[in-house]
Amino acid sequence: MNSIRLSASGITTYSQCQRKFYYRHIEKLPEKPTPQKVRGSITHRVLDEFFNIADLTKVPNDKHWHEIWKGFKGILNTLLETEWKKIGSTYPDCFENEKQKQEFLDDTKEIMDFYSAKLAFALFNKLKQMKNSRYFTDDLKRFFYPKDREYKLELLEQNMIGFVDKTMSLIGGGVAIVDYKTSKTTLPHFISKEDLKQCKVYAYLWKAVFGEAPKHISVFYLRDGESVYYPITERDLEEIKKDVDDIRSKEVDKENFPKTVTKLCDYCDYWNLCFKTREDYEKQLNTR
């Protein structure tokens, strides 16, 4: 049994291409930063900080959702501008030029605008529904406020780790795990295979740490506002255990981690380590 450091993203990479997993998580070869990764890191930071600032319990229940939206939008834009200025220090400046950087900032503002509108409309309706409730504050916090944010799940004896974006306490007991994606769904109400694998790993870690699996996981695709739910079953947990056992059973040698040759190889930083020439790549691609 090897002692490779495992993570949710690592196990997801392993399911896509074992050779990429070897280069990234065993040899730890660096990958180029991209504007998309920088935007993702900043977006997660902004959404995490938002709930430290915005007190939803103090929003008057007679406010129209448009007014609530403007308030949320202002907070998110301020946080976004603050984090964006850290590009070049906290975050790598991998943009081609200032024009591309500005385009990404404008696009990210649109994503935040959509998020704030969706949250404001949901809060507006919930405030009307609960305005006479004895448990107004508790119910509102349970419905909107994360139980945990950027929660670290670690199994020292298994050398496994994962960071959950958000958890929510569910009415009736139990928790749900929420994962933010700055992308959009490929199909309506659909979680991609890779995103689902990552969330199943979070569920596996949660069960190992707390003795009880989350009731469901939810992937929130920020670009189109889709929040897609998936109920966790024992079969899902067994799937991840099988992945872990499979990785652990291998001797740490490159040849034990075979390539998965697809068209996505063109976007991989390790392309030159896997193929001698373009012709070699196309030959392997056509004979897979």
Side-chain angles (χ1 to χ4, degrees):
M1 300 291 285
N2 62 58
S3 58
I4 300 166
R5 180 72 157 170
L6 296 181
S7 64
S9 62
I11 292 173
T12 303
T13 301
Y14 181 83
S15 70
Q16 295 172 301
C17 177
Q18 294 186 31
R19 184 63 56 85
K20 184 175 183 178
F21 171 87
Y22 176 85
Y23 287 137
R24 179 188 281 173
H25 297 279
I26 298 176
E27 290 203 1
K28 301 186 185 302
L29 300 181
E31 293 178 276
K32 295 177 183 176
T34 67
Q36 289 80 7
K37 290 178 183 177
V38 170
R39 190 245 299 280
S41 297
I42 289 175
T43 300
H44 279 73
R45 175 62 180 162
V46 167
L47 293 177
D48 180 39
E49 190 63 25
F50 173 80
F51 285 98
N52 290 329
I53 297 174
D55 190 347
L56 307 191
T57 64
K58 293 183 178 178
V59 175
N61 58 28
D62 59 348
K63 263 195 173 185
H64 193 272
W65 76 271
H66 285 183
E67 295 179 75
I68 302 171
W69 173 19
K70 289 176 184 177
F72 290 169
K73 181 180 178 180
I75 294 172
L76 287 166
N77 276 341
T78 299
L79 291 170
L80 177 58
E81 292 279 2
T82 300
E83 289 300 310
W84 206 262
K85 289 175 183 176
K86 297 177 184 178
I87 293 175
S89 55
T90 304
Y91 309 100
D93 191 349
C94 52
F95 298 88
E96 293 178 2
N97 48 48
E98 287 302 314
K99 180 175 180 292
Q100 187 192 48
K101 186 188 290 188
Q102 186 62 47
E103 287 173 349
F104 265 82
L105 175 57
D106 293 341
D107 187 52
T108 309
K109 284 182 177 179
E110 291 291 330
I111 292 173
M112 292 293 99
D113 190 9
F114 186 43
Y115 176 85
S116 60
K118 194 169 186 287
L119 178 61
F121 187 72
L123 178 62
F124 171 72
N125 283 288
K126 204 67 179 175
L127 287 172
K128 289 195 299 182
Q129 176 186 333
M130 299 192 311
K131 63 182 179 181
N132 296 318
S133 171
R134 290 173 54 197
Y135 309 103
F136 171 80
T137 300
D138 289 342
D139 286 348
L140 196 66
K141 285 185 174 181
R142 187 181 294 111
F143 193 85
F144 287 101
Y145 278 82
K147 175 180 178 290
D148 307 289
R149 302 196 306 273
E150 294 295 322
Y151 192 80
K152 180 181 178 181
L153 294 167
E154 188 169 20
L155 302 178
L156 293 175
E157 69 281 4
Q158 295 187 40
N159 199 17
M160 284 186 68
I161 194 169
F163 290 89
V164 173
D165 288 339
K166 184 171 78 171
T167 68
M168 299 295 290
S169 296
L170 300 176
I171 295 173
V175 300
I177 286 176
V178 181
D179 192 47
Y180 292 123
K181 298 296 181 187
T182 53
S183 57
K184 61 182 178 180
T185 52
T186 53
L187 293 168
H189 316 299
F190 176 77
I191 303 176
S192 73
K193 182 171 66 174
E194 293 76 19
D195 293 345
L196 185 56
K197 176 72 77 172
Q198 185 175 358
C199 289
K200 287 179 180 180
V201 178
Y202 293 143
Y204 175 88
L205 287 166
W206 191 274
K207 171 75 180 291
V209 171
F210 295 106
E212 183 179 1
K215 298 295 183 184
H216 66 255
I217 57 93
S218 173
V219 181
F220 190 177
Y221 292 95
L222 291 161
R223 185 166 291 281
D224 57 12
E226 284 266 19
S227 188
V228 190
Y229 296 84
Y230 179 89
I232 291 294
T233 67
E234 282 299 320
R235 181 180 294 180
D236 298 315
L237 304 178
E238 284 297 321
E239 175 189 322
I240 301 305
K241 183 179 185 304
K242 185 176 182 300
D243 290 335
V244 173
D245 291 345
D246 190 44
I247 296 171
R248 290 281 181 237
S249 68
K250 293 178 180 289
E251 291 187 21
V252 185
D253 182 275
K254 182 172 70 174
E255 298 309 314
N256 293 326
F257 296 84
K259 291 178 285 189
T260 301
V261 183
T262 71
K263 291 181 179 179
L264 293 177
C265 293
D266 268 332
Y267 305 96
C268 180
D269 285 336
Y270 308 126
W271 192 95
N272 290 328
L273 297 174
C274 291
F275 309 104
K276 297 176 182 177
T277 63
R278 188 74 192 174
E279 290 74 18
D280 176 37
Y281 162 62
E282 290 178 357
K283 181 180 178 181
Q284 292 189 45
L285 180 64
N286 293 328
T287 56
R288 64 189 171 92

